[in-house]
């Protein structure tokens, strides 16, 4: 009954669960091309919820940390998707042109930047913060969800000494080993949903 | 004039120096902006410091409208405010005391924090040796996250200088501000009892006053101290009962550990110490296993489950022979009095219902006394198993015709031979229930678990009654429509063959009970038990040969005395010699399959390491369990699938009394075996059906189930 009510009101229930198939989605990127999660089956996929106005995202971009992760793993055939669920008029929302400029100036090596204006995919995955990271294995099952590392702060100085959960998860999957830490509490600013 | 200029210059230089070299050296966070929306300052309740005299100080944050800072647990987003003290030598600052927070934001992102103004209090204990000449400078570096619709990190160094005096003096205005802030701090009270139960998706908090002085609050909200246990973005529902307020607090959807305690504050509009008093109550409550309270809405569903389970129980291998024998009895009397048949069926059903009540009564009494028992508990006692074995053996002999029980005796044999006898009908029902206990039918497990976990004995008895009625339903139907007997073929030789068939079925059951005993007692004891079957067979034969009405009365009496003495001696012999052996590893490990003995610690360890876990709650006396293990779990196909997926296999053997396993069962709302639980990495438990198939296991492991596209 509550599911019906929620469907009417347009509320999407979070369906991401560790060990289960990651929910399918189809989003357009900043170049106008549509990406479906299912087309990446067979590869490790990283989802990175992003909002450049958020100081926690700035911590990882100003320091070059996020870009180096993107570079390292896309070179190993991992698919890295940055997803922006900011609604129109809210922080983090940009036009495609602005995004393209930003991707260039940041030197982002993400495979694609996907636009989720109505927040459907964010809510489907239960994305609460920026950044909020998800790692999907080669079979399409969710292998990690949560924080990017174990130091919740906006301070760049905290990056070198921190355990990076995303690196650990992706490295494990690429080596065919089980992921040791499958879920953590994410930190960041709230996703600016509609 | 020049002198003044020097002073001014000195002051200016001093200020400039102070600006660029703050006393608390900190690497500046480049993201902290100059234009902060939060002003921080340090205030104290006292005007002067007394050596050794503890006093309250506070970091006061004044936030611009729309802007907020965060509580010690920020919730879904944000960061808590951090205070780093720089105090003179010998000074000690206590921990930060946080006033109760507000809820910020809306689903799916909800946080806990403050708006307007907040005082973060700390108690400072000054050094005991202070000279009253030098004023004391207290300093703190405060880092916070300030957010409106966007977030900016904030940071400032705040300080306060106070003179040293022999007496404490406080500013009344200041005292007022501090008193107000203290009213928002959490209090701990013994007069409030808070119990926390874990249900499937929630924590159920039962909050009740232990004293008449306090009335149940109209509302309550739980703010947890730790992240990763409670989901801030889902609503909490408070329901008032006449003795408590019951609060349903949602669990986080992804958990990698099982929290043992709920630590946090309960906030209510009503004061916890009476009207107008503090609204924040601190709790540190252990989390107990609980049955889903939402099930109280579907108690009708549970009763239905119990009823269906009862019907299905008739088809479980334990009960099927009894069903068959009973039908034989009906057939024998088919030509006879319809009314009598009806009465017999009712009595039989009555026997079943009363037995279930007795079982439940014994269970409840023992559990109330602290025993961790569940369904089938009587089979955890090898003595009971032994006596049951003897009973079945005698029955089989009766069915083979070794002896017959006359009508003038209140005999259980009247059921076996299918003869009439009203008391026999009743006891037949008792027997049927006794025989049913090793088996758990589908649907029964959850109904049983609910019945035994429910705090309300009326509910427990209703569920057991429903179960009993379900089990009696074939007989009740027969009693209502005796005409159904028409569908059974007319009496004839086939009835004898059917009797022999059931006799052998009973012997097979005895053999199985022997294997159960073997895992409960030592080998010498088992031999002692087996030895008893010889004199028993003899007693049965003596009774059958010479104890019937066909013989001389004197011989009859002698024979009966002999037979019963042997029986009595055998039972006494068994009672004294059958004891559970002490060694813990009585269960013979199941071959080369990789089952580890169940241990809560090992399971948690495996889960933290991200390994999938499968737990088989089983017992040797549980037929359904044995079937599932042989036909599904220990087959090569399933075992290799488990191995490939790296699943850790745990066997929780409940053959003998084990309070740890009983508790673990209760966590899942069960009080019987079998129970099959699968933990995918990083996930909550998934309970599998009572009757397993290979595809159920294979599907569960491969986690392709439940994917929504």
């Amino acid at each position: 009954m509550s599911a019906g009510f929620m469907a009417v009101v347009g509320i999407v229930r979070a369906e991401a669960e560790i060990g289960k198939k990651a929910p399918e989605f189809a989003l357009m990127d900043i170049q106008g091309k549509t990406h479906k999660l299912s087309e990446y089956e067979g590869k490790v996929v990283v989802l990175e919820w992003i909002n450049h106005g958020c100081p926690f995202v700035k911590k990882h971009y100003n320091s070059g940390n996020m870009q180096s992760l993107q570079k390292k793993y896309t070179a190993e055939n991992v698919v890295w998707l940055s997803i922006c669920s900011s609604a129109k008029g809210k922080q983090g929302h940009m036009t495609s042109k602005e995004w393209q400029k930003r991707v260039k100036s940041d030197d982002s090596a993400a495979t694609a930047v996907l636009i989720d204006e109505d927040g459907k995919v964010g809510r489907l995955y239960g994305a609460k913060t920026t950044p909020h990271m998800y790692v999907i294995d080669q079979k399409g099952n969710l292998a990690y969800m949560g924080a990017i590392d174990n130091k919740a702060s906006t301070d760049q100085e905290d990056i070198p000494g921190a355990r990076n959960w995303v690196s650990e998860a992706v490295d494990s999957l690429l080596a065919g080993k089980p992921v040791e830490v499958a879920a953590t509490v994410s930190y960041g600013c709230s996703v600016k949903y509609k | 004039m020049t002198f003044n200029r020097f002073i001014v210059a000195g002051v200016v230089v001093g200020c400039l120096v102070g600006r660029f070299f703050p006393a608390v050296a900190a690497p500046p966070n480049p993201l902290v902006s100059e234009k902060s929306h939060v002003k921080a300052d340090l205030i104290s309740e006292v005007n002067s410091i007394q050596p050794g005299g503890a006093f309250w100080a506070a970091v006061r944050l004044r936030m611009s409208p729309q802007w907020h800072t965060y509580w010690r647990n920020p919730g879904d987003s944000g960061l808590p405010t951090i205070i780093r003290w720089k105090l003179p030598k010998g000074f000690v600052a206590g921990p930060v005391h946080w006033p109760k927070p507000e809820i910020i934001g809306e689903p799916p992102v909800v946080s806990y924090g403050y708006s307007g103004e907040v005082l973060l209090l700390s108690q400072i204990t000054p050094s005991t040796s202070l000279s009253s000449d030098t004023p004391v400078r207290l300093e703190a570096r405060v880092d916070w996250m300030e957010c409106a619709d966007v977030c900016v990190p904030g940071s400032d160094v705040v300080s306060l200088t106070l003179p040293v005096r022999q007496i404490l003096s406080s500013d009344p205005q200041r005292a007022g501000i501090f008193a107000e802030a203290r009213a928002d701090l959490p209090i701990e009270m013994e007069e409030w009892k808070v119990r926390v139960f874990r249900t499937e998706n929630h924590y159920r908090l039962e909050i009740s006053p232990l004293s008449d002085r306090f009335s149940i609050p109209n509302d309550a909200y739980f703010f947890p101290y730790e992240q990763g246990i409670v989901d801030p973005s889902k609503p909490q529902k408070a329901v008032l009962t006449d003795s408590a307020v019951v609060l349903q607090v949602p669990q986080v959807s992804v958990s990698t550990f099982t929290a043992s305690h709920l630590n946090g504050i309960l906030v209510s509009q009503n004061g916890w110490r009476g009207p107008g008093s503090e609204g924040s109550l601190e709790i540190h409550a252990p989390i107990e296993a609980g049955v889903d309270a939402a099930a109280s809405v579907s108690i009708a569903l549970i009763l239905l489950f119990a009823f269906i389970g009862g019907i299905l129980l008739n088809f479980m291998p334990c009960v099927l022979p009894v069903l068959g024998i009973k039908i034989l009895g009906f057939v024998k009397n088919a030509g006879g009095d319809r009314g009598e048949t009806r009465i017999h069926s009712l009595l039989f059903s009555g026997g079943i219902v009363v037995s279930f009540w007795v079982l439940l009564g014994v269970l409840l009494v023992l559990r109330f006394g602290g025993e961790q028992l569940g369904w089938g508990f009587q089979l955890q006692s090898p003595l009971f198993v032994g006596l049951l074995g003897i009973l079945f053996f005698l029955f089989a002999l009766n069915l083979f015709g070794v002896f017959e029980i006359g009508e003038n005796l209140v005999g259980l044999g009247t059921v076996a031979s299918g003869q009439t006898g009203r008391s026999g009908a009743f006891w037949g029902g008792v027997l049927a229930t006794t025989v049913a206990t090793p088996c758990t039918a589908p649907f029964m497990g959850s109904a049983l678990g609910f019945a035994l976990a429910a705090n309300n004995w009326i509910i427990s008895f209703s569920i057991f009654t429903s179960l009993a009625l379900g089990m009696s339903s074939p007989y009740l139907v027969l009693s209502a429509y005796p005409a159904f007997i028409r569908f059974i073929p007319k009496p004839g030789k086939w009835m004898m063959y059917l009797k022999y068939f059931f006799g052998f079925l009973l012997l097979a059951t005895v053999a199985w009970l022997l294997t159960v005993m073997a895992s409960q007692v030592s080998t010498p004891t088992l031999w002692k038990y087996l030895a008893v079957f010889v004199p028993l067979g003899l007693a049965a034969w003596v009774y059958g040969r010479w104890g019937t009405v066909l013989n001389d009365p004197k011989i009859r009496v002698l024979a009966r005395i002999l037979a019963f003495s042997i029986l009595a001696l055998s039972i006494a012999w068994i009672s004294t010699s059958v004891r559970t052996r002490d060694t813990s590893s009585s269960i013979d490990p199941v071959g080369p399959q990789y089952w580890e003995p169940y241990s809560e610690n090992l399971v948690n360890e495996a889960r933290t390491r991200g390994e999938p876990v499968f737990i088989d709650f089983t017992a040797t006396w549980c037929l359904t369990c044995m079937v599932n293990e042989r036909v599904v779990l220990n087959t090569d196909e399933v075992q290799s699938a488990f191995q490939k997926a790296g699943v850790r296999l745990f066997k929780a053997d409940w053959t003998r009394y084990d309070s740890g396993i009983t508790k673990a069962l209760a966590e899942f709302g069960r009080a019987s075996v079998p129970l099959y639980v699968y933990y995918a990495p990083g996930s909550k438990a998934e309970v599998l059906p009572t009757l397993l198939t290979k595809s159920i296991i294979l599907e569960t492991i491969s986690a392709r189930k439940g994917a929504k596209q």
Side-chain angles (χ1 to χ4, degrees):
Chain A
M1 190 175 87
S2 58
F5 170 75
M6 283 158 99
V8 166
V9 179
I11 300 174
V12 177
R13 275 189 98 195
E15 284 179 23
E17 270 187 66
I18 298 289
K20 299 267 159 81
K21 230 175 166 90
E24 164 77 318
F25 61 80
L27 288 177
M28 204 179 324
D29 71 12
I30 57 180
Q31 314 281 2
K33 169 170 177 259
T34 304
H35 297 252
K36 278 205 189 129
L37 179 62
S38 48
E39 71 194 49
Y40 296 119
E41 184 149 342
K43 298 195 182 169
V44 173
V45 180
V46 176
L47 304 180
E48 170 213 342
W49 257 263
I50 189 173
N51 164 4
H52 279 300
C54 168
F56 296 91
V57 174
K58 286 190 193 171
K59 165 191 178 185
H60 291 283
Y61 272 88
N62 292 358
S63 58
N65 184 36
M66 195 67 83
Q67 299 93 316
S68 68
L69 287 171
Q70 294 163 345
K71 273 200 188 64
K72 171 169 185 217
Y73 289 115
T74 49
E76 296 185 45
N77 213 15
V78 170
V79 176
W80 190 292
L81 302 171
S82 304
I83 304 182
C84 183
S85 295
S86 297
K88 258 211 194 99
K90 296 220 172 156
Q91 189 193 50
H93 184 270
M94 293 195 275
T95 65
S96 298
K97 274 241 165 55
E98 288 168 332
W99 268 111
Q100 289 169 23
K101 268 211 219 118
R102 189 63 197 250
V103 162
K104 239 202 177 132
S105 65
D106 276 339
D107 200 21
S108 156
T111 313
V113 176
L114 306 178
I115 304 300
D116 178 38
E117 240 172 39
D118 57 10
K120 268 227 196 83
V121 178
R123 289 176 193 268
L124 186 63
Y125 274 79
K128 298 199 179 208
T129 59
T130 53
H132 200 142
M133 314 297 294
Y134 296 80
V135 179
I136 301 165
D137 70 16
Q138 298 91 330
K139 294 207 202 84
N141 296 323
L142 195 56
Y144 173 79
M145 61 195 269
I148 178 171
D149 64 16
N150 69 344
K151 286 267 165 68
S153 74
T154 54
D155 209 332
Q156 289 182 27
E157 312 253 325
D158 288 334
I159 295 178
R163 263 181 89 171
N164 192 298
W165 303 124
V166 176
S167 291
E168 294 190 15
V170 179
D171 288 338
S172 300
L173 290 177
L174 290 176
K177 294 208 213 95
V179 173
E180 189 188 331
V181 178
T184 58
V185 177
S186 73
Y187 70 82
C189 317
S190 56
V191 174
K192 310 299 177 201
Y193 288 112
K194 254 210 293 234
Chain B
M1 275 306 170
T2 334
F3 190 64
N4 285 344
R5 227 177 292 149
F6 276 136
I7 292 179
V8 170
V11 168
V12 168
V13 170
C15 283
L16 286 173
V17 167
R19 183 75 179 81
F20 286 106
F21 295 97
V24 180
N29 184 339
L31 296 173
V32 174
S33 99
E34 284 291 319
K35 252 180 36 191
S36 177
H37 304 271
V38 175
K39 282 209 206 350
D41 62 351
L42 183 57
I43 57 176
S44 111
E45 198 176 11
V46 297
N47 288 333
S48 61
I49 297 182
Q50 187 191 35
F55 63 94
W56 284 94
V59 168
R60 177 171 57 181
L61 298 174
R62 280 179 284 193
M63 297 156 263
S64 307
Q66 311 298 323
W67 290 83
H68 50 262
T69 57
Y70 292 89
W71 189 52
R72 54 185 286 179
N73 169 8
D76 281 334
S77 67
L79 286 179
T81 305
I82 300 177
I83 301 173
R84 294 184 185 89
W85 293 97
K86 185 164 196 265
L87 301 172
K89 197 154 165 215
F91 277 65
V92 177
V96 175
H97 291 255
W98 302 79
K100 61 174 155 60
E102 317 161 358
I103 297 174
I104 297 167
E106 48 181 43
V109 189
V110 171
S111 303
Y112 306 134
Y114 306 103
S115 60
E117 182 177 306
V118 69
L119 263 64
L120 301 177
L121 296 114
S122 266
Q123 196 175 49
I124 314 260
T125 311
S127 150
T128 41
S129 54
L130 286 176
S131 80
S132 42
D133 303 330
T134 349
V136 165
R137 183 187 160 87
L138 307 166
E139 205 169 275
R141 169 157 153 229
V142 190
D143 294 287
W144 64 85
M145 182 61 58
E146 62 190 50
C147 302
D149 52 345
V150 298
C151 288
V152 186
S155 181
D156 202 2
V157 173
V158 294
S159 66
L160 179 64
T161 308
L162 294 170
V164 178
R165 297 272 180 275
Q166 286 310 312
I167 40 153
L168 270 177
S169 74
S170 52
D171 180 329
Q173 212 183 30
R174 202 58 64 67
I177 302 174
F178 271 81
E180 236 182 82
R182 264 198 287 272
D184 280 340
L185 293 183
I187 54 171
E188 282 197 82
M189 286 177 72
E190 295 202 348
E191 288 93 329
W192 286 96
K193 182 169 95 159
V194 179
R195 283 184 79 183
V196 179
F197 299 93
R198 174 186 292 116
T199 63
E200 201 189 323
N201 289 316
H202 289 84
Y203 295 107
R204 184 175 84 243
L205 278 68
E206 290 177 2
I207 307 157
S208 50
L210 288 176
S211 147
D212 288 335
R213 285 162 49 211
F214 307 117
S215 48
I216 300 164
N218 290 329
D219 65 273
Y221 192 87
F222 178 68
F223 290 95
Y225 281 159
E226 294 139 324
Q227 287 182 298
I229 299 177
V230 169
D231 188 338
S233 67
K234 297 213 180 80
Q236 299 181 9
K237 203 169 90 159
V239 169
L240 293 172
T241 71
D242 43 295
S243 58
V245 54
V246 176
L247 185 63
Q248 297 271 47
V249 174
Q251 297 177 17
V252 284
S253 43
V254 183
S255 57
T256 50
F257 69 97
T258 316
S260 64
H261 283 73
L262 268 196
N263 302 312
I265 55 174
L266 279 168
V267 172
S268 165
Q269 304 280 33
N270 316 101
W272 294 98
R273 279 211 276 229
S277 66
E278 295 92 338
S280 168
L281 180 72
E282 182 167 286
I283 63 166
H284 298 281
I287 301 176
E288 309 171 51
V291 182
D292 211 324
S296 67
V297 173
S298 56
I299 184 100
L301 198 64
I302 297 281
L303 287 174
L304 183 65
F305 275 16
F307 190 79
I308 296 176
I311 297 178
L312 290 176
L313 199 52
N314 281 303
F315 299 104
M316 294 285 112
C318 313
V319 188
L320 197 54
V322 176
L323 178 64
I325 293 169
K326 195 56 197 159
I327 291 185
L328 268 182
F330 276 124
V331 168
K332 246 193 177 164
N333 306 323
D337 186 0
R338 290 271 172 90
E340 195 61 22
T341 312
R342 193 170 274 150
I343 292 178
H344 276 242
S345 307
L346 284 172
L347 282 172
F348 189 77
S349 310
I352 294 179
V353 173
V354 169
S355 315
F356 268 90
W357 285 346
V358 166
L359 264 177
L360 177 63
V362 171
L363 260 176
L364 288 179
V365 165
L366 288 172
R367 282 166 72 100
F368 185 77
E371 296 285 328
Q372 296 285 352
L373 297 169
W375 180 258
F377 74 98
Q378 59 275 48
L379 287 149
Q380 290 177 330
S381 150
L383 181 58
F384 181 87
V385 173
L387 290 173
L388 204 62
I390 295 177
L391 188 66
F392 284 7
F393 179 65
L394 289 174
F395 263 115
L397 292 182
N398 176 278
L399 285 174
F400 291 145
V402 171
F403 67 96
E404 304 274 334
I405 303 278
E407 282 199 37
N408 50 343
L409 269 182
V410 175
L412 299 166
T414 54
V415 171
S417 59
Q419 287 175 10
T420 57
R422 289 190 182 181
S423 52
F426 180 83
W427 289 108
V430 174
L431 172 70
T433 311
T434 315
V435 153
T437 47
C439 288
T440 311
F443 294 99
M444 228 178 104
S446 37
L448 277 177
F450 191 89
L452 289 172
N455 278 324
N456 186 340
W457 61 266
I458 298 180
I459 292 183
S460 306
F461 270 95
S462 314
I463 296 174
F464 265 64
T465 309
S466 181
L467 191 56
L469 288 175
M471 191 175 155
S472 323
S473 50
Y475 312 104
L476 290 173
V477 164
L478 268 176
S479 75
Y481 300 99
F484 276 157
I485 297 205
R486 255 187 293 131
F487 294 111
I488 303 174
K490 289 262 178 301
K493 246 208 180 135
W494 66 272
M495 287 174 59
M496 250 199 6
Y497 291 126
L498 201 58
K499 266 175 73 173
Y500 294 155
F501 171 70
F502 283 131
F504 282 111
L505 210 55
L506 281 169
L507 280 186
T509 313
V510 174
W512 166 67
L513 282 173
L514 282 174
T515 64
V516 173
M517 266 198 98
S519 57
Q520 292 175 328
V521 300
S522 63
T523 318
T525 309
L526 194 63
W527 292 134
K528 280 194 210 161
Y529 173 71
L530 278 172
V532 136
F533 279 80
V534 174
L536 270 180
L538 185 65
W541 180 72
V542 162
Y543 183 88
R545 176 83 172 74
W546 286 298
T548 65
V549 293
L550 295 171
N551 297 97
D552 210 51
K554 275 202 218 100
I555 300 183
R556 196 192 322 157
V557 167
L558 266 174
R560 285 187 181 184
I561 292 176
L562 181 61
F564 281 105
S565 335
I566 296 180
L567 180 61
L569 279 172
S570 308
I571 293 180
W573 167 260
I574 292 175
S575 309
T576 50
S577 56
V578 171
R579 289 273 173 270
T580 318
R581 93 181 130 161
D582 307 318
T583 59
S584 49
S585 59
S586 64
I587 306 95
D588 86 329
V590 189
Q593 289 89 3
Y594 306 99
W595 293 97
E596 306 169 59
Y598 172 79
S599 136
E600 196 181 345
N601 286 337
L602 287 178
V603 168
N604 280 338
E605 216 181 81
R607 287 187 65 202
T608 321
R609 295 228 296 266
E611 294 171 330
V613 169
F614 181 86
I615 311 178
D616 170 17
F617 288 88
T618 183
T620 336
W621 41 257
C622 160
L623 270 184
T624 324
C625 310
M626 296 294 108
V627 167
N628 280 330
E629 282 179 5
R630 216 124 290 192
V631 162
V632 176
L633 291 177
N634 289 331
T635 57
D636 288 330
E637 196 183 333
V638 168
Q639 281 291 319
S640 66
F642 274 139
Q643 268 203 65
K644 265 209 213 112
V647 180
R648 291 280 292 273
L649 302 173
F650 289 97
K651 189 186 281 255
D653 196 314
W654 211 37
T655 304
R656 289 176 307 149
Y657 175 75
D658 186 322
S659 58
I661 296 183
T662 313
K663 278 211 202 100
L665 282 168
E667 300 254 321
F668 293 98
R670 295 297 186 90
S672 62
V673 284
L675 175 67
Y676 304 106
V677 177
Y678 180 69
Y679 288 97
S683 294
K684 284 226 217 22
E686 193 185 330
V687 173
L688 302 176
T690 325
L691 289 181
L692 292 178
T693 67
K694 282 192 202 161
S695 57
I696 291 178
I697 301 285
L698 295 174
E699 253 182 42
T700 312
I701 307 174
S702 70
R704 288 200 211 288
K705 239 173 40 147
K708 291 197 179 63
Q709 296 296 329

